Amino acid sequence: MDDSHSVEETAFVVDEVSSIVKESIEGAIGANFYQQNRVNVWTSNVVEQCLSQLSKLGKPFKYIVTCIIMQKNGAGLQSASSCFWDNTTDGREHHYSTSTETVWLGDHCLSNLGVKPVHSVSQ
Amino acid sequence: MAEECNDFSIMANKPLPLSQEILAQFNLSLATGSCVPGPPRRRLGSISTHRSSKEQPKDQPLHRPMLLRAMTGPSSDSSFLSPNMSNSHISFSKRFSFAGWHQGGRVSFSGLYLPEPVQEIYKENTYRTGPEEGSRFSASRTQQITQATLDRYLEAVCYSPDSCSQLCQMLSDLVLSKLKDVNPPRYKLVCQVVVGQSGKQGVRVASRSLLNVDTDSYTSAVFQNQSLFAVAIVHGVYFE
């Protein structure tokens, strides 16, 4: 592939990605209560919407999106991620939101692999 | 300093070409009245040498002359130079009276070290567009490693809010480091670990990616015990 992309084109723009993630979550779930039978649909919707919006950005990136939805019950949840990539071109972003039922959205990673960055949005 | 700068006759017979230039240049600067401390002046025209009971190894040509300027103290221990020497010359235990005379070193007028010139690395095209045969990301092997790591480290762990955040991060780094050993070349790894308290709540972890199906893959591993659950997701992505 062409290696002569400018830095701006191939940089990981945190703001854009963050807004996309936020909108996807709000659009797919909104302020709904946790319902077991609908959780599958919600996660699929969130992730798909995220990914489609990100791919529309048209950047030479690969993306990874992860979504975690948990019911608010007093239990604790931790999430961590480690990445073996190129720090100059790759990055991650995460978004977390709660409602009366916890909808927990985690990390979003973006990596540029050569000219094909990997971007992972994990919520 | 007098006892340090002696025996110039050793080297004076065979002056290096470069030394002449430097000397000439320096003497010119002297003539124009640059501020040089008085006492060392008379030695400035000398070629550096060493005082040692051992012979100088023949495979160490003298590269640069040392121009003395108020050298402060003798470097009486040979360890002064050892960090700067290559391994093959570790036994070269000479005593030098001035800084910087070491294999391949460069010294400025003042006797201070000059930084080594940056070696430019020229990258060439490998003309490889995909991973080699046999060196693709192996989902099954990765899954085994991840699952084994989770099982081993979480076997007797109880969930506690204070320590579990560190545990989570530590697990993530651990899995990544284990996978780096078996990671095929040109593959980047993204590892995510979710640790949660086992309660009566429902939780769903979902992941979707925009990757190249031919070269990239992912695996996941789950561990659960009485007090906690852990989910690890690893993506392997090929890059050119």
Side-chain angles (χ1 to χ4, degrees):
Chain A
M1 290 190 65
D2 188 10
D3 275 14
S4 59
H5 290 283
S6 66
V7 174
E8 292 77 31
E9 288 176 11
T10 57
F12 170 53
V13 181
V14 171
D15 300 331
E16 273 180 21
V17 168
S18 181
S19 61
I20 286 172
V21 171
K22 198 170 164 197
E23 283 166 16
S24 308
I25 296 165
E26 285 168 6
I29 304 172
N32 286 321
F33 285 87
Y34 185 90
Q35 293 163 42
Q36 178 133 15
N37 50 352
R38 295 187 67 184
V39 164
N40 280 353
V41 176
W42 286 338
T43 48
S44 309
N45 286 347
V46 167
V47 169
E48 278 194 39
Q49 231 172 312
C50 258
L51 213 48
S52 60
Q53 292 294 324
L54 288 166
S55 55
K56 278 185 194 162
L57 288 178
K59 301 217 168 158
F61 281 98
K62 290 180 178 175
Y63 298 97
I64 301 173
V65 181
T66 317
C67 172
I68 303 170
I69 298 182
M70 191 172 92
Q71 189 178 12
K72 232 178 183 175
N73 215 12
L77 183 78
Q78 314 280 352
S79 169
S81 77
S82 313
C83 307
F84 180 56
W85 62 24
D86 183 354
N87 275 332
T88 55
T89 52
D90 309 333
R92 84 186 96 192
E93 170 62 27
H94 76 275
H95 183 81
Y96 166 78
S97 78
T98 65
S99 63
T100 49
E101 302 286 334
T102 300
V103 177
W104 191 91
L105 312 163
D107 297 329
H108 149 196
C109 306
L110 172 78
S111 321
N112 184 347
L113 311 186
V115 291
K116 286 190 288 184
V118 166
H119 158 183
S120 146
V121 176
S122 63
Q123 318 169 284
Chain B
M1 295 300 289
E3 71 275 12
E4 302 300 336
C5 314
N6 56 4
D7 259 350
F8 293 136
S9 59
I10 295 175
M11 300 318 303
N13 299 334
K14 303 170 196 169
L16 296 172
L18 186 57
S19 66
Q20 298 292 347
E21 290 171 22
I22 295 181
L23 288 175
Q25 213 168 349
F26 198 89
N27 288 330
L28 184 63
S29 70
L30 277 186
T32 57
S34 57
C35 33
V36 172
R41 232 179 244 191
R42 61 175 179 276
R43 301 190 200 95
L44 287 172
S46 64
I47 303 172
S48 60
T49 182
H50 61 272
R51 180 182 58 158
S52 165
S53 56
K54 288 190 187 171
E55 265 188 351
Q56 186 178 5
K58 294 191 176 59
D59 58 342
Q60 286 190 2
L62 298 164
H63 289 280
R64 305 280 188 275
M66 301 298 109
L67 295 173
L68 306 175
R69 279 185 68 180
M71 298 307 299
T72 46
S75 56
S76 54
D77 52 334
S78 57
S79 64
F80 165 73
L81 286 174
S82 53
N84 295 319
M85 296 171 120
S86 62
N87 291 336
S88 59
H89 304 300
I90 268 305
S91 59
F92 182 53
S93 58
K94 305 241 183 274
R95 291 172 51 175
F96 293 97
S97 57
F98 30 73
W101 189 335
H102 60 94
Q103 185 71 11
R106 300 196 308 139
V107 172
S108 70
F109 276 93
S110 61
L112 298 171
Y113 284 109
L114 285 176
E116 293 292 325
V118 174
Q119 307 275 350
E120 288 208 22
I121 300 172
Y122 295 101
K123 293 186 183 172
E124 293 182 0
N125 214 335
T126 59
Y127 298 102
R128 202 188 308 160
T129 55
E132 286 174 358
E133 293 305 318
S135 69
R136 287 172 182 264
F137 181 75
S138 161
S140 56
R141 186 174 54 180
T142 311
Q143 208 277 336
Q144 285 168 10
I145 294 172
T146 317
Q147 186 74 61
T149 312
L150 280 185
D151 293 341
R152 198 176 332 134
Y153 282 85
L154 290 178
E155 203 179 327
V157 177
C158 219
Y159 182 86
S160 89
D162 314 321
S163 63
C164 265
S165 56
Q166 285 179 0
L167 171 76
C168 199
Q169 184 67 57
M170 190 265 299
L171 263 180
S172 185
D173 295 335
L174 193 67
V175 169
L176 194 71
S177 62
K178 288 198 185 285
L179 290 175
K180 273 201 272 188
D181 299 334
V182 298
N183 192 32
R186 292 184 156 210
Y187 268 89
K188 292 185 181 177
L189 295 171
V190 176
C191 167
Q192 183 171 11
V193 173
V194 179
V195 172
Q197 193 175 13
S198 265
K200 300 237 170 91
Q201 81 279 5
V203 61
R204 179 139 183 104
V205 178
S207 166
R208 190 177 281 245
S209 11
L210 188 64
L211 304 169
N212 183 352
V213 178
D214 298 329
T215 57
D216 309 327
S217 185
Y218 78 97
T219 55
S220 62
V222 178
F223 172 86
Q224 188 167 14
N225 70 10
Q226 290 295 331
S227 66
L228 58 76
F229 69 91
V231 178
I233 307 168
V234 179
H235 287 85
V237 186
Y238 178 77
F239 73 99
E240 294 165 3

